[in-house]
Amino acid sequence: MVLPIPLLGLLAGIFLGVSSAYVFPSGYSAYVAVAILACTDSVLGGIKSSLHGQFHLGIFLSGFLGNGLLAMVLVYFGDKLNIQLSLAAIVVFGSRFFQNFAEIRRFILNQREKKDKIHSEEQTENGC
Amino acid sequence: MESVKKKLYATSSVTVLCILLGLMIGVQYNTVRLQKQSTDSASLQRVSELTTKLSTLQAENDALQEKLETQSQQMKEFESALMADDSSFEALTEENERLKMVAGMTAVQGRGISVTINDSSASADGSANPEAFLVHAEDILSIINELNVAGAEAIAINGQRLISQSAVRCAGSVVNVNDVKLAAPFVITAIGDPDLLEAALLFPGGVVDTLRPWGIEILIKKLDMLEIPSYSQPREFREATSSNKG
């Protein structure tokens, strides 16, 4: 796993997105927001699992699409029922950011020191 | 070999997703920025729009008022021209003048009183109902009623002539008279016998007695000469027609 390549991709995407004249139609903002969360979660999960050598394309893609769809469905029904169900997606994805980031961080740091505690403890955990 | 392939998969798919994520973030950033701009400018636009509308309407109102004045001036000229033409019109003109006075379509002058009523300055206590310390349309109506009982011949509130179709109505913090918004202090002018008019307001248990305890300021002045303007708005009869067939 070479970290700089996805990072470069991310930066290129942001640059392209901002410099483009496109905007999302009004009303879809909330959906895009949770889609961004789901996508970020998948990216972090994918990086983590590939660092652990457990990357599966099927799991990665189904996690991305499934989580994204579920989050959007939550937003849709939350909108209809006047419950902010998107909060559930935000909280879950948000906490997973930190968890995944912590594992990536430890992995990279421990790679140098060669004592990867989290790796052995949470081997069964999957990326998505 | 398998492991290298796997890594390639991982890196490429994560990169593709990263590009997608970046695109979404970028476009969403644009969207949010645009939304903020539009809401900010929308409210500003609304304010300036309304201000423009207001000043346009005011100008329109002024122009119409002016038109009304010039046209009534013209009418007077026609009348005097007619009068000069034929002396038989004199009686008609006189009758016309009298009817206009009855209808409140002409300014009148004479002896009378002016009643100035203002909101209570004691309202700041906040202890009792603050509503009771304000001058209400009902108070004005009861004063007008007393003045009419005492034989007032013409009444105006802050220069708004009361005619048979005038309404005095509470409209939030102001009072509508003839569809014109008036605010305290209210100056009610009435032509009639000053002593009678004053007595009608001051009798024990009367209007002034009921309003004074609330601290509402009432100032009654007897005047030897006061002028009451004419009713300024056009009067239209849409439903009523004269049933006097003679």
Side-chain angles (χ1 to χ4, degrees), chain A residues 104-119:
Chain A
I104 294 166
R105 193 163 41 86
R106 275 167 218 230
F107 186 88
I108 292 169
L109 290 178
N110 288 344
Q111 215 174 22
R112 294 191 187 138
E113 295 168 26
K114 294 289 169 204
K115 20 175 212 183
D116 187 3
K117 277 181 190 156
I118 291 244
H119 189 188

Side-chain angles (χ1 to χ4, degrees), chain B:
Chain B
M1 190 58 208
E2 186 67 24
S3 157
V4 173
K5 206 176 166 189
K6 210 172 166 183
K7 268 193 178 169
L8 191 68
Y9 268 154
T11 312
S12 53
S13 54
V14 169
T15 307
V16 168
L17 213 58
C18 268
I19 294 171
L20 191 67
L21 175 64
L23 275 174
M24 280 202 288
I25 291 174
V27 176
Q28 177 79 341
Y29 174 78
N30 278 348
T31 312
V32 170
R33 199 179 46 183
L34 194 78
Q35 273 174 357
K36 272 191 187 144
Q37 266 176 6
S38 63
T39 50
D40 286 356
S41 61
S43 57
L44 272 177
Q45 211 178 337
R46 184 97 187 110
V47 169
S48 66
E49 205 176 278
L50 286 176
T51 317
T52 324
K53 207 171 173 184
L54 181 68
S55 61
T56 322
L57 283 175
Q58 270 169 349
E60 217 170 282
N61 197 4
D62 287 347
L64 285 173
Q65 196 77 34
E66 213 167 283
K67 201 173 165 189
L68 187 72
E69 270 164 31
T70 49
Q71 283 188 344
S72 49
Q73 189 68 37
Q74 253 175 1
M75 223 163 88
K76 257 184 211 158
E77 275 165 23
F78 283 144
E79 276 166 8
S80 55
L82 275 175
M83 210 163 73
D85 271 6
D86 195 341
S87 59
S88 71
F89 275 109
E90 208 168 317
L92 277 177
T93 317
E94 216 165 90
E95 176 68 6
N96 183 22
E97 211 48 48
R98 206 185 68 79
L99 286 176
K100 270 163 106 181
M101 243 169 89
V102 169
M105 302 307 280
T106 181
V108 289
Q109 58 183 24
R111 288 196 303 160
I113 64 168
S114 87
V115 186
T116 308
I117 46 177
N118 203 352
D119 294 342
S120 170
S121 52
S123 62
D125 302 354
S127 51
N129 179 14
E131 289 275 299
F133 296 98
L134 300 176
V135 178
H136 291 281
E138 289 76 18
D139 305 333
I140 295 172
L141 277 171
S142 53
I143 289 175
I144 290 164
N145 208 23
E146 292 303 331
L147 291 174
N148 275 330
V149 166
E153 287 159 16
I155 300 177
I157 306 168
N158 288 12
Q160 282 301 319
R161 176 72 171 270
L162 292 185
I163 59 165
S164 56
Q165 287 162 331
S166 289
V168 178
R169 188 168 191 271
C170 175
S173 58
V174 294
V175 172
N176 265 354
V177 179
N178 293 347
D179 284 331
V180 175
K181 291 190 180 70
L182 304 179
F186 300 99
V187 182
I188 302 173
T189 45
I191 290 179
D193 185 334
D195 298 321
L196 273 177
L197 293 177
E198 191 192 40
L201 298 178
L202 288 178
F203 74 89
V207 182
V208 173
D209 268 9
T210 49
L211 292 178
R212 279 250 163 88
W214 297 105
I216 286 174
E217 294 160 18
I218 304 179
L219 183 72
I220 300 176
K221 267 192 290 189
K222 289 194 251 183
L223 298 167
D224 284 337
M225 176 56 74
L226 66 98
E227 194 177 330
I228 289 181
S230 65
Y231 183 74
S232 58
Q233 285 155 36
R235 289 182 71 176
E236 283 173 24
F237 293 90
R238 291 202 187 86
E239 303 294 331
T241 50
S242 173
S243 61
N244 185 2
K245 296 275 180 354

Side-chain angles (χ1 to χ4, degrees), chain A:
Chain A
M1 183 73 187
V2 197
L3 264 176
I5 296 177
L7 202 67
L8 275 177
L10 179 69
L11 288 176
I14 291 176
F15 178 76
L16 275 176
V18 172
S19 56
S20 75
Y22 293 113
V23 289
F24 292 115
S26 63
Y28 289 94
S29 226
Y31 297 98
V32 179
V34 290
I36 287 174
L37 283 177
C39 199
T40 314
D41 177 64
S42 296
V43 165
L44 284 175
I47 291 171
K48 188 199 80 176
S49 57
S50 71
L51 285 177
H52 291 176
Q54 294 172 322
F55 185 85
H56 287 286
L57 192 62
I59 293 177
F60 179 69
L61 286 182
S62 67
F64 165 62
L65 294 174
N67 284 347
L69 274 178
L70 184 61
M72 287 185 188
V73 167
L74 280 183
V75 171
Y76 177 77
F77 280 108
D79 201 34
K80 294 287 167 234
L81 302 174
N82 201 14
I83 309 167
Q84 292 225 303
L85 284 177
S86 60
L87 284 178
I90 290 169
V91 169
V92 170
F93 288 139
S95 60
R96 272 168 51 158
F97 289 172
F98 287 105
Q99 197 194 330
N100 284 336
F101 179 65
E103 290 192 32
I104 294 166
R105 193 163 41 86
R106 275 167 218 230
F107 186 88
I108 292 169
L109 290 178
N110 288 344
Q111 215 174 22
R112 294 191 187 138
E113 295 168 26
K114 294 289 169 204
K115 20 175 212 183
D116 187 3
K117 277 181 190 156
I118 291 244
H119 189 188
S120 53
E121 274 167 19
E122 297 183 352
Q123 201 132 31
T124 50
E125 190 115 341
N126 230 321
C128 301

